[in-house]
Amino acid sequence: MSKTYVHAPGFVAGDRPKIVTSRFEFADSYTLERYLATDGYKGLRAALSRPANEIHEDVKSATVLGRGGAGFPAGTKWGLTPQQVWPRYLVVNGDESEPGTYKDRLLMERDPHQLIEGCLIACYAAGLSQCFLYIRGEMAVAQERVVTALNEAYVAGYIGKNILGSKFSVDIILHWGAGAYVVGEETALIESLEGNRGMPRLKPPFFPAANGLYGQPTIVNNVETLANLPWLLTHGVAAYTAIGTKTSPGTRMVAVSGHVKRPGVYEIINGTTTFRDLIYGEEFSGGIRNGNLLKAFVPGGGSAPWFTEDQLDLPFEASQVGPAGSMLGSGAVMVMDETTDIPAAALTLTHFYAHESCGKCTPCREGGTWLERILRRVVEGDGTDADLQQLLEVGAMICPGAFPHAANEKLGLTAVPFPYKMTTICFVGPSAYAPVHSALTLFRSEFEARVKKRVTIPVTAVAGVAANARVSA
Amino acid sequence: MSRLSDTNIKLAHEIIVRYPRPKSALIPLLHLSQEQNGYITREAMQHLGELVGVTSAEVYGTASFYEMFKFEPVGKYLINICGTMSCALMGANELMHHAEKKLGVKAGGTTPDGVFTLAHAECQAACTEAPTLQVNYRYRLRVTPADLDRLIDNLRDGKLNDEFPPHGVLSKVRQSIDATRAVGAKAPEDVNESPAWLDGKAAL
Ligand code: FES
């Protein structure tokens, strides 16, 4: 049975295992009182009663995948820090801003103590001596909820000096951003936390685990990733890996938005739930609105190449979605029905990434802007055939070589697998191209219909004498 | 008067000492300054530079990167209408047109009485509840044109003062760490030892 709650707008509960959303049913889920009454800080106690390295081993063997976008296992990430270099830091990425993505904000607003407990477990296991919890600037309520929880937890002895009377001591500092999508990239997040413009750093040498905040080893983890840890420590590795598949254990939060009957945020079983389940399943989005047909969907946030009905039966499993030509990204499915104006839809995303380019890499700064301007002119009916070609050429400057796309039976296309090559430091540049490329590859006829036949007058022609005017295709 | 007030200078120092390096406090301090003045002034940047030990040019360098910092006065209520894909699919453009008509200003403009600034915004992490908007970074979801009319009227009549503090205020609650509970931040070069709990034994 699906259930929704006024106090958690968007969230839809179902008869499925709940690892991170177990308290969402309670209106007061963000209070310390409710948290303690529902197994709160039990995972921390369990962790502290064993040596730190064992907890790290638990997280490794549970294969807790990063939920921010890249899907890298957290336990492995923690193990990449160089031996005997101190201090090490934890930076929590709560800068959720990938188009289509809505889950970290829910987790921060609805269950801030769970996130805090996750941070504490991570610091204990990986020997991190200070934690910075970076929340997106435009989330006033999430900031209020998390800061209130931090204040409560400090007073109650869960954060700070000698936590629960033990030798484990760590501060968690609330930090908040000021509006810049690129700061969600981990090295840009670190720059921003150092008080600078949030521009990504080159990797190598700036792999955060080795050379991060203030040049020290730094672990950057996503909110949802950390929110998994209290349950894992309370219930154990076996219970965790019993859910989902071997390569994608546990659950994950997925937001389905756009033209579906019931848009919502669902905690789904990892690895087995398919896109068809999500878009058409009665316990999920219940199909396309007004009984319309599905045209396309973005499977993993605005940066991801698009899928069509041919890919509906793929499960939420990176090892299958990658070869099929896209990525799972941040758990965001955006659905377009048959009424969608495809070039205009692609433009909203390309505009987004062009606008959010930090300007550090030329192909992204210039290329993103070009893509947006050309696409806008096509959408507004002033484009030419040459513009369509130019879109692909500009794209190839950002991502040389074959760009990933899905197979399509009707069009006779076979899949080009993920990932792509890129000439930029981070994914903002390629992300400006992804929607253009997908839309043009899968729906070229819509662009062609948009490109008006225009009369162009050769520059040599004298005004009024259009004898040499030719019609461009 | 756009240097920080005495009360805010105290708050600023509390924030600065939480970080291993003072410059890390810059963005939180810019927010504090914007909370005090509604926007960021030259004098404010000069002052913040003094507080964290950088030049005012460096402060501007950082501040100008981030969309939320405004260098000119904006309305008491900043209305950000999301126009990214999920919202666009659900009628965000129409909502923006409606708002422009209702307020009599174009996106990016401020009403002559200084009460409202209308702006186009990017994905607000509420995509399932499209179309969305924020007033001073607090949400309204699944917004219809009628909802928007009512919201604007109520804001103008001061009926929503409790929910929406004036532009510049974000969290109404501040972090407070009791001195007896704080571990305290140290510059990284002053820490050379492994944390006490990594001794191979359980902490509890
Ligand atoms: S697209 Fe509007 S909130 Fe995400």
Side-chain angles (χ1 to χ4, degrees):
Chain A
M1 263 288 289
S2 305
K3 270 192 103 145
T4 56
Y5 308 98
V6 235
H7 56 259
F11 175 66
V12 183
D15 301 322
R16 295 181 298 278
K18 293 184 190 73
I19 291 181
V20 294
T21 61
S22 65
R23 293 177 195 88
F24 283 23
E25 62 181 288
F26 303 109
D28 62 350
S29 59
Y30 51 85
T31 61
L32 181 61
E33 204 181 343
R34 173 64 67 188
Y35 195 64
L36 291 175
T38 48
D39 284 352
Y41 291 109
K42 245 188 167 173
L44 176 66
R45 255 176 228 282
L48 296 190
S49 46
R50 291 163 60 204
N53 59 320
E54 282 186 23
I55 308 307
H56 188 172
E57 279 311 314
D58 273 13
V59 175
K60 259 196 226 165
S61 47
T63 325
V64 179
L65 299 180
R67 262 75 163 178
F72 195 72
T76 314
K77 200 179 208 183
W78 299 355
L80 297 176
T81 50
Q83 296 292 309
Q84 302 308 324
V85 183
W86 315 104
R88 299 170 182 165
Y89 299 110
L90 174 64
V91 176
V92 183
N93 190 344
D95 193 58
E96 179 170 64
S97 34
E98 176 71 14
T101 313
Y102 172 30
K103 63 183 182 75
D104 294 340
R105 183 168 71 80
L106 259 178
L107 289 169
M108 293 190 280
E109 288 183 5
R110 297 312 311 168
D111 204 343
H113 282 287
Q114 175 174 260
L115 170 62
I116 292 169
E117 188 178 356
C119 296
L120 294 167
I121 293 168
C123 287
Y124 179 68
L128 315 174
S129 46
Q130 200 175 358
C131 170
F132 300 93
L133 213 165
Y134 192 120
I135 302 184
R136 180 172 170 186
E138 295 102 325
M139 294 179 178
V141 173
Q143 292 159 21
E144 267 160 19
R145 292 279 164 79
V146 172
V147 87
T148 307
L150 284 170
N151 289 349
E152 286 174 326
Y154 259 105
V155 171
Y158 294 106
I159 319 178
K161 240 186 251 170
N162 302 108
I163 292 168
L164 301 177
S166 75
K167 62 191 167 202
F168 173 49
S169 301
V170 73
D171 277 329
I172 301 181
I173 307 302
L174 178 88
H175 190 89
W176 56 114
Y181 162 78
V182 65
V183 164
E185 196 278 338
E186 56 181 7
T187 59
L189 190 71
I190 288 169
E191 278 290 333
S192 180
L193 186 51
E194 290 185 3
N196 302 326
R197 296 169 78 82
M199 293 172 152
R201 297 172 174 173
L202 260 175
K203 299 194 269 188
F206 296 107
F207 286 108
N211 186 348
L213 185 62
Y214 317 123
Q216 296 298 124
T218 303
I219 300 299
V220 183
N221 278 149
N222 167 264
V223 165
E224 186 189 348
T225 315
L226 292 162
N228 271 270
L229 302 181
W231 195 95
L232 172 66
L233 266 293
T234 308
H235 300 267
V237 176
Y240 189 85
T241 52
I243 303 166
T245 59
K246 200 162 171 296
T247 43
S248 298
T251 63
R252 72 176 289 175
M253 301 273 281
V254 178
V256 186
S257 61
H259 297 153
V260 286
K261 282 196 189 128
R262 184 174 59 198
V265 188
Y266 307 89
E267 181 169 7
I268 67 163
I269 297 177
N270 227 348
T272 54
T273 310
T274 65
F275 291 105
R276 189 184 299 281
D277 295 336
L278 271 177
I279 296 173
Y280 290 94
E282 272 317 309
E283 50 178 328
F284 298 107
S285 291
I288 310 295
R289 64 170 184 185
N290 308 328
N292 289 357
L293 295 174
L294 171 69
K295 195 163 188 180
F297 63 99
V298 190
S303 309
W306 300 4
F307 280 166
T308 62
E309 55 178 2
D310 293 21
Q311 284 76 36
L312 277 175
D313 292 312
L314 284 173
F316 243 77
E317 166 71 75
S319 63
Q320 295 193 45
V321 170
S326 191
M327 60 167 188
L328 290 175
S330 50
V333 178
M334 292 184 275
V335 179
M336 292 168 261
D337 75 4
E338 56 184 309
T339 67
T340 308
D341 177 343
I342 291 286
L347 177 60
T348 68
L349 289 177
T350 297
H351 162 77
F352 176 89
Y353 295 104
H355 175 81
E356 297 295 339
S357 172
C358 77
K360 185 163 178 168
C361 308
T362 310
C364 169
R365 183 187 62 239
E366 304 298 321
T369 314
W370 272 61
L371 288 174
E372 186 193 350
R373 285 161 82 179
I374 300 170
L375 186 56
R376 189 175 299 282
R377 119 173 134 229
V378 171
V379 168
E380 286 172 356
D382 298 325
T384 67
D385 237 11
D387 281 338
L388 304 188
Q389 188 51 34
Q390 180 119 55
L391 285 171
L392 300 174
E393 280 167 18
V394 174
M397 303 280 181
I398 306 171
C399 296
F403 196 84
H405 66 75
N408 191 285
E409 217 185 290
K410 266 187 243 142
L411 299 171
L413 294 173
T414 49
V416 172
F418 206 76
Y420 36 69
K421 291 202 196 83
M422 54 203 258
T423 57
T424 53
I425 296 177
C426 85
F427 293 96
V428 173
S431 302
Y433 183 45
V436 180
H437 183 269
S438 286
L440 255 174
T441 308
L442 299 167
F443 301 96
R444 192 170 177 107
S445 59
E446 287 196 33
F447 286 85
E448 281 164 355
R450 261 327 215 292
V451 175
K452 282 198 302 198
K453 290 201 168 172
R454 306 171 70 216
V455 179
T456 52
I457 301 168
V459 277
T460 51
V462 188
V465 185
N468 292 334
R470 64 187 164 88
V471 177
S472 75
Chain B
M1 247 305 284
S2 53
R3 294 172 71 86
L4 291 182
S5 67
D6 287 346
T7 331
N8 283 340
I9 290 177
K10 249 187 88 206
L11 277 172
H13 285 300
E14 275 176 36
I15 295 171
I16 292 168
V17 298
R18 290 181 191 150
Y19 296 92
R21 300 229 192 277
K23 196 183 177 191
S24 281
L26 196 48
I27 292 176
L29 296 193
L30 281 160
H31 279 300
L32 187 62
S33 171
Q34 183 152 285
E35 177 174 333
Q36 178 184 299
N37 307 315
Y39 68 107
I40 307 287
T41 66
R42 266 171 186 255
E43 225 186 331
M45 289 189 278
Q46 181 71 44
H47 191 199
L48 298 188
E50 288 163 23
L51 288 170
V52 303
V54 299
T55 65
S56 58
E58 278 175 274
V59 177
Y60 183 62
T62 295
S64 57
F65 186 80
Y66 298 92
E67 201 126 341
M68 289 173 75
F69 297 128
K70 309 293 180 195
F71 301 95
E72 278 163 33
V74 293
K76 181 175 176 199
Y77 299 113
L78 172 64
I79 302 183
N80 279 330
I81 298 185
C82 176
T84 312
M85 189 186 234
S86 307
C87 289
L89 291 173
M90 300 303 282
N93 289 343
E94 293 70 15
L95 191 64
M96 178 55 98
H97 290 317
H98 184 83
E100 287 177 334
K101 247 192 267 151
K102 168 88 183 169
L103 291 173
V105 292
K106 287 273 174 218
T110 300
T111 53
D113 58 4
V115 178
F116 297 104
T117 296
L118 179 65
H120 170 97
E122 300 299 346
C123 181
Q124 298 174 332
C127 321
T128 64
E129 308 311 293
T132 69
L133 64 77
Q134 289 186 325
V135 178
N136 296 344
Y137 308 105
R138 289 164 196 270
Y139 290 89
R140 279 292 185 270
L141 307 171
R142 304 197 185 212
V143 185
T144 63
D147 292 340
L148 188 90
D149 288 345
R150 220 169 312 125
L151 174 68
I152 288 171
D153 294 342
N154 285 339
L155 284 168
R156 191 171 267 141
D157 298 346
K159 286 187 189 149
L160 299 172
N161 287 351
D162 288 345
E163 187 185 352
F164 300 104
H167 177 258
V169 180
L170 284 171
S171 175
K172 288 184 263 185
V173 189
R174 294 188 206 281
Q175 181 162 22
S176 77
I177 306 175
D178 193 276
T180 61
R181 293 285 317 130
V183 181
K186 279 192 195 149
E189 55 275 17
D190 297 338
V191 183
N192 299 304
E193 280 165 29
S194 93
W197 64 92
L198 290 191
D199 54 2
K201 296 194 215 93
L204 265 181

